[in-house]
């Protein structure tokens, strides 16, 4: 049964993802500058990697068909193949070539026997029975095949991919332009750090968690500060933000019954939906469009900001940035040592701490006070405990799914 404007986490994610398309701009950059950028198009291998059949071991290259199946075989060593210095002849009958790891396989050879397995004496080598054809040979193209995609469009380039591009000889690569996100905090009680707090004021922490989250994603930031509940200031800030960025990200002012101008201004300036999401923490959220920018209006509570960012906004930003497929957010089951109260029909993300118990097995405990404004327990946490809509209370010792806050938080 769905209530108007009430969405499950999955519905909110899906509605948002369906609305978004990747930004179109792109640039070619030196590969070092491509770290954390998103690949524009497939990159094909211009040659096989490895380029030649080569040895996986230090040993002797030989023809397996020459070996006696039932007893050791003695072969004559006719040369040496080093990495970067191939053996240029051809292996003949009952012959072997001393070969080092990475050296190109000599003509005629199909197998390498490791040096530990043989008895070598002057120019002769005794190979035991039972050596299998093709053993210890790495084949040309077994890593990457010439003309086939080595990396696919939409890949977010990490250290591995920089190495892979270098292994193909590419000095530059085409990546999508960086996403630009303008963000600001709202609320009359929100004070900027650097001056003493007035009565009833709280320091703005959301702009700093969002700064950290967005920076780790490699996004271009437009920090618009704290905006008071003043219609003129709010209107100007929303207009400037939407003109400058692909995404406008705000926190605060979207709850039901908020006595402020944020919702009114979003409605006036764009097409915006105000949702109640069946999520804890993080229930209210706005999503829509202002001018040419997408708007994400996050709740005000500091942990609610981080949870809605991680569970809903993150993939939206990935999609806008061109990341495809979207990164998996795996969960896995571990016993929870604490009992947890859980409301039905809601997806809850208590902050958890995975720890290794004395028996060596991993368990999870609650990271501390679960209030949606409590950042200290967020800091103590290293995972979310994911309690899906159909789940009831958790008893101590029950299995729960956990999602590791990998890298980002
Ligand atoms: P709101 O969603 O505007 O009703 O805010 C919910 C709670 O979050 C209130 O207690 C606010 O004071 C707090 N809050 C809102 N914005 C921020 C912010 N930028 N930094 C810290 N706390 C905030
Ligand atoms: Mg407020």
């Amino acid at each position: 049964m769905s209530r108007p404007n009430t969405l499950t986490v999955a519905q909110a994610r899906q509605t948002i993802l369906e609305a978004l398309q990747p930004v179109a701009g792109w640039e070619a950059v030196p590969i070092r500058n491509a770290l954390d950028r998103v690949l524009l198009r497939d990159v094909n291998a211009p040659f096989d990697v490895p380029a030649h059949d080569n040895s996986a071991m230090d040993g002797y290259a030989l023809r397996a068909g020459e070996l006696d199946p039932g007893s050791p075989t003695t072969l004559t060593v006719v040369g040496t193949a080093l990495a970067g210095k191939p053996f240029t002849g051809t292996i003949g009958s009952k012959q072997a070539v001393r070969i080092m790891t990475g050296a190109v396989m000599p003509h005629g050879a199909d197998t390498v026997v490791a040096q530990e397995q043989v008895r070598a004496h002057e120019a002769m080598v005794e190979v035991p029975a039972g050596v299998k054809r093709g053993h210890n040979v790495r084949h040309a193209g077994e890593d990457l095949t010439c003309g086939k995609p080595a990396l696919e469009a939409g890949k977010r380039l990490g250290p591995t991919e920089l190495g892979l591009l270098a292994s193909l000889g590419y000095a530059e690569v085409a990546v999508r332009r960086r996403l630009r996100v303008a963000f600001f905090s709202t609320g009359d009680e929100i004070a900027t750090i650097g001056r003493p707090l007035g009565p009833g004021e709280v320091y703005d922490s959301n702009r700093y968690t969002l700064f950290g989250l967005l920076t780790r994603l490699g996004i271009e930031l437009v920090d618009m500060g704290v905006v008071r509940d003043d219609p003129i200031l709010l209107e100007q800030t929303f207009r400037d933000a939407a003109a400058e960025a692909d995404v406008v990200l705000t926190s605060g002012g979207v709850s039901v019954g908020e006595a402020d101008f944020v919702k009114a201004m979003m409605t006036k300036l764009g097409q915006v939906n105000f949702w109640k999401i069946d999520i804890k923490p993080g229930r209210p959220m706005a999503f829509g469009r202002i001018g040419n920018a997408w708007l994400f209006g996050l709740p005000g509570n500091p942990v609610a900001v981080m949870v809605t960012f991680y569970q809903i906004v993150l993939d939206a930003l990935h999609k806008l940035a061109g990341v495809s497929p979207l990164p998996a957010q795996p969960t896995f089951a571990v016993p929870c040592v604490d009992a947890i109260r859980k409301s039905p029909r809601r997806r809850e993300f208590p902050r958890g701490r995975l720890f290794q118990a004395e028996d060596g097995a991993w368990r999870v405990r609650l990271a501390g006070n679960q209030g949606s404004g409590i950042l200290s327990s967020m800091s103590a946490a290293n995972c979310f405990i994911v309690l899906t809509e159909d789940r009831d209370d958790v008893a101590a010792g029950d299995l729960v799914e956990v999602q590791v806050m990998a890298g980002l938080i």
Side-chain angles (χ1 to χ4, degrees):
M1 228 183 19
S2 76
R3 292 150 279 161
N5 288 329
T6 300
L7 272 62
T8 63
V9 177
Q11 286 168 335
R13 282 171 51 89
Q14 201 190 340
T15 305
I16 292 170
L17 289 174
E18 279 173 5
L20 305 178
Q21 290 304 325
V23 294
W26 63 278
E27 58 185 325
V29 297
I31 59 171
R32 280 200 178 112
N33 298 354
L35 184 63
D36 290 337
R37 303 292 298 271
V38 181
L39 197 60
L40 179 72
R41 43 179 116 84
D42 290 357
V43 170
N44 292 337
F47 47 78
D48 281 343
V49 178
H52 307 277
D53 290 358
N54 69 86
S55 177
M57 297 287 265
D58 292 345
Y60 293 85
L62 49 81
R63 283 147 61 155
E66 298 279 324
L67 301 178
D68 188 330
S71 55
T73 307
T74 299
L75 303 174
T76 306
V77 180
V78 294
T80 303
L82 303 175
K85 246 197 204 159
F87 173 77
T88 47
T90 299
I91 290 192
S93 180
K94 298 289 179 200
Q95 292 184 338
V97 161
R98 178 98 175 99
I99 194 164
M100 298 298 154
T101 305
V104 174
M105 287 293 285
H107 283 293
D110 56 19
T111 303
V112 171
V113 59
Q115 63 188 21
E116 298 79 17
Q117 283 188 275
V118 304
R119 294 217 319 239
H121 183 67
E122 291 177 356
M124 309 301 279
V125 62
E126 188 189 280
V127 179
V131 170
K132 295 215 171 56
R133 181 190 298 274
H135 210 195
N136 296 324
V137 178
R138 303 164 177 160
H139 292 285
E142 72 176 19
D143 185 354
L144 300 168
T145 310
C146 180
K148 295 262 170 62
L151 290 171
E152 292 186 0
K155 180 92 183 167
R156 187 149 184 258
L157 302 173
T160 311
E161 288 70 37
L162 300 196
L164 204 145
L165 288 165
S167 78
L168 297 175
Y170 290 115
E172 282 198 343
V173 64
V175 293
R176 282 195 196 262
R177 75 165 171 82
R178 280 183 207 277
L179 208 58
R180 270 170 85 80
V181 175
F183 62 114
F184 56 94
S185 299
T186 67
D188 272 345
E189 79 284 25
I190 308 301
T192 305
I193 54 175
R195 66 166 176 80
L197 283 180
E201 288 188 334
V202 293
Y203 280 126
D204 176 16
S205 60
N206 291 344
R207 218 153 38 88
Y208 296 86
T209 48
L210 288 173
F211 164 85
L213 290 161
L214 296 167
T215 299
R216 287 226 167 136
L217 288 169
I219 283 170
E220 260 179 45
L221 308 185
V222 186
D223 183 344
M224 313 206 60
V226 179
V227 184
R228 298 247 143 202
D229 250 342
D230 170 312
I232 294 171
L233 278 180
L234 272 172
E235 175 161 357
Q236 196 53 50
T237 310
F238 270 115
R239 285 192 193 281
D240 291 348
E244 276 212 51
D246 305 296
V247 171
V248 178
L249 193 57
T250 65
S251 68
V254 293
S255 321
V256 189
E258 269 287 329
D260 61 19
F261 300 101
V262 176
K263 287 170 90 172
M265 202 51 69
M266 289 177 178
T267 310
K268 177 179 165 192
L269 298 177
Q271 297 85 48
V272 180
N273 299 298
F274 295 92
W275 290 334
K276 295 182 202 76
I277 302 176
D278 285 328
I279 186 174
K280 184 188 168 190
R283 190 163 133 87
M285 181 178 163
F287 170 69
R289 215 153 161 78
I290 292 185
N292 289 322
W294 293 103
L295 170 80
F296 296 87
L298 303 187
N301 275 306
V303 179
V305 167
M306 299 191 79
V307 170
T308 44
F309 186 95
Y310 199 83
Q311 302 300 337
I312 296 175
V313 179
L314 177 60
D315 273 353
L317 296 180
H318 280 319
K319 177 146 187 207
L320 284 169
V323 177
S324 168
L326 293 175
Q329 292 184 6
T331 65
F332 56 95
V334 290
C336 180
V337 299
D338 291 318
I340 309 175
R341 299 279 308 213
K342 161 73 171 53
S343 299
R345 288 196 303 279
R346 189 159 79 178
R347 187 169 287 225
E348 299 190 4
F349 294 93
R351 284 139 265 172
R353 175 134 200 107
L354 282 163
F355 66 100
Q356 204 169 14
E358 270 168 23
D359 62 5
W362 287 86
R363 307 224 158 80
V364 68
R365 69 162 78 97
L366 286 173
N369 188 319
Q370 296 292 318
S372 61
I374 302 214
L375 271 183
S376 57
S377 55
M378 192 70 185
S379 176
N382 57 11
C383 67
F384 291 116
I385 299 170
V386 184
L387 303 177
T388 47
E389 290 78 357
D390 52 357
R391 176 108 202 200
D392 290 326
D393 291 348
V394 175
D398 281 357
L399 282 180
V400 292
E401 294 290 318
V402 296
Q403 184 181 50
V404 175
M405 296 169 180
L408 202 56
I409 294 183

